[in-house]
Amino acid sequence: MPHIKLLSLVGARPQIIKASAISRAIRTSFSEDITEILVHTGQHYDKEMSEVFFDELEIHKPDYNLGVGSAGHGKQTAMMITGIEEILITEKPDCVVVYGDTNSTLAGSLAASKLRFPVIHIEAGLRSFTKTMPEELNRIMSDHSSTLLFAPTNSAFKNLVSEGFRPENSPPYTIDNPKIYLTGDIMYDNSLFFAELAEKKKNKFLDRLGVERNNFVLATIHRDTNTDDSNRLQNILVTLKNLAETKNITLVMPLHPRTIVSLKTRLTALYTDLCNSSLIKIIPPVSYLEMIMLEKNCRMIVTDSGGVQKESHFFRKPCIILRKETEWIELVHNGTSVLVDADPELLRDEFLRLMDSHSELNYPGFYGDGKAAEFILKEILLMFER
Ligand code: UD1
Ligand code: UDP
């Protein structure tokens, strides 16, 4: 087998976690075949949004950090493209791996494909079918700049086929003759790998937080449609606070920095009210192992996060999705997740229904066998053998 240089691109919190699955599989199964160069765009930069994951998930420190930080979509993406292009010219990797759907994903796909480096998109084919969502444009453009596309679910694979990708394509694969695969989800690999470790390393976390197992609801909110619209954010949070009081249950909310900024600047009275409530625990973003402890031990999850939705399934918890639509549609079809948008009545009804419905719910294996990263790396290597 040829030895290849693979450039992995991360930038936002979920990508660092995703990349850890690939880095781990390289270390354990392909260290003779693959050298990984890790590039961080710096899209996320707070310690708890970035560094904590490198320490905890044992990923080597980035070889490059562009330090791009926060900015409008155009400026942020442009700065990333400029920086990534320079690195590509210096490093000349055999391929560039991008994860998910953030601006970092888009920047990596564009910079690499324009310089004719093969792009490998992990988490390809997901669609919300709403192009007003910034991530949807990032997904479509990244998929259509890629040479190998790894779809995590059946529906993602079908979406690619319906956009003209041909499963029957044969090698050599190129941007004009791309190959699509159904792989399972590398985040399922991670949840299996890290769940036990979380229990070992973070066994005091819930006590320190002051919550009892199975007696709290976990909520995260960070999607721009929710954080940047004060009415929606207020509707969601007021309803959740009322529900916590009605059911006398604690609500744990590790909030993304953008949500805190919105609360502090535009919903000050509500923020104070929430902070003064004994049932509401607004905390800074937690580490991935701490998040697993919260997900494994909560009663139910309320979220607008893509990753957290799926983790609700991995840890067999009902999930209320604070969005109109989801890319992980199998969760909704399965009845274990429900879409409530930011509708107070729907949120209330579903919260009360799902909180006590555990025994009736099933969690089939939608996300592969926990070895998606190995499969992906094997196929990448094969591309260079052919
Ligand atoms: C980004 C992704 C989103 C993903 C999310 C994961 C895009 C378009 N969006 O959204 O798909 O679900 O990451 O968490 O790429 N901020 C900080 N510190 C940080 C990072 C951000 O304070 O370390 C604040 C800043 O006020 C910034 C805001 O959060 O303006 C938004 O950050 P940005 O990276 O633009 O988008 P996210 O909302 O994090
Ligand atoms: N996550 C975390 N700490 C937190 C919130 C989320 O480690 O405080 C993890 C979560 O377990 C999941 C990933 O971050 O693996 C999801 O990222 P996020 O919700 O930021 O983005 P999305 O998945 O919606 O793009």
Side-chain angles (χ1 to χ4, degrees), residues 3 54-55 77 84 96 191 222 229 259 263 280 283 315 355:
H3 189 98
F54 288 91
D55 297 340
T77 312
I84 296 166
V96 175
S191 74
H222 78 277
D229 179 333
T259 319
L263 280 170
I280 311 273
I283 55 175
F315 297 113
M355 210 176 114

Side-chain angles (χ1 to χ4, degrees), residues 226-289:
N226 288 330
T227 58
D228 299 1
D229 179 333
S230 299
N231 278 337
R232 285 178 67 98
L233 190 57
Q234 173 153 335
N235 279 343
I236 292 167
L237 288 170
V238 169
T239 310
L240 286 176
K241 179 172 181 286
N242 291 340
L243 283 162
E245 284 160 2
T246 310
K247 297 299 284 184
N248 193 27
I249 193 160
T250 303
L251 196 63
V252 177
M253 289 199 281
L255 288 185
H256 189 291
R258 82 180 290 161
T259 319
I260 294 291
V261 170
S262 293
L263 280 170
K264 282 188 176 166
T265 54
R266 289 184 279 118
L267 293 168
T268 326
L270 174 61
Y271 185 52
T272 310
D273 209 24
L274 293 170
C275 292
N276 289 336
S277 162
S278 60
L279 287 171
I280 311 273
K281 289 183 189 293
I282 294 187
I283 55 175
V286 295
S287 78
Y288 180 59
L289 296 185

Side-chain angles (χ1 to χ4, degrees), residues 14 43-46 70 73 102-103 135 222-223 256-258:
Q43 178 172 350
H44 286 176
Y45 44 86
D46 288 347
S70 304
H73 286 271
T102 71
N103 287 348
E135 291 82 358
H222 78 277
R223 209 48 69 192
H256 189 291
R258 82 180 290 161

Side-chain angles (χ1 to χ4, degrees), residues 231-379:
N231 278 337
R232 285 178 67 98
L233 190 57
Q234 173 153 335
N235 279 343
I236 292 167
L237 288 170
V238 169
T239 310
L240 286 176
K241 179 172 181 286
N242 291 340
L243 283 162
E245 284 160 2
T246 310
K247 297 299 284 184
N248 193 27
I249 193 160
T250 303
L251 196 63
V252 177
M253 289 199 281
L255 288 185
H256 189 291
R258 82 180 290 161
T259 319
I260 294 291
V261 170
S262 293
L263 280 170
K264 282 188 176 166
T265 54
R266 289 184 279 118
L267 293 168
T268 326
L270 174 61
Y271 185 52
T272 310
D273 209 24
L274 293 170
C275 292
N276 289 336
S277 162
S278 60
L279 287 171
I280 311 273
K281 289 183 189 293
I282 294 187
I283 55 175
V286 295
S287 78
Y288 180 59
L289 296 185
E290 290 166 349
M291 192 63 181
I292 287 180
M293 287 303 281
L294 291 172
E295 291 169 337
K296 267 185 89 173
N297 292 295
C298 68
R299 185 88 159 262
M300 182 172 68
I301 294 179
V302 181
T303 191
D304 57 11
S305 155
V308 177
Q309 274 172 60
K310 265 179 306 156
E311 286 162 1
S312 76
H313 190 84
F314 303 157
F315 297 113
R316 308 176 73 79
K317 305 289 168 167
C319 181
I320 293 180
I321 304 171
L322 300 165
R323 289 181 49 197
K324 276 197 181 65
E325 71 291 304
T326 177
E327 305 75 38
W328 306 98
I329 193 64
E330 58 287 340
L331 297 173
V332 175
H333 292 156
N334 191 48
T336 37
S337 289
V338 286
L339 294 162
V340 303
D341 199 9
D343 181 322
E345 268 179 40
L346 259 182
L347 172 53
R348 188 185 158 78
D349 291 351
E350 292 299 342
F351 189 104
L352 296 173
R353 183 178 72 81
L354 284 173
M355 210 176 114
D356 295 314
S357 62
H358 272 216
S359 54
E360 303 141 34
L361 303 174
N362 285 310
Y363 295 86
F366 296 132
Y367 300 103
D369 59 2
K371 294 188 168 60
E374 275 82 4
F375 175 91
I376 289 169
L377 291 170
K378 226 165 48 212
E379 291 302 325

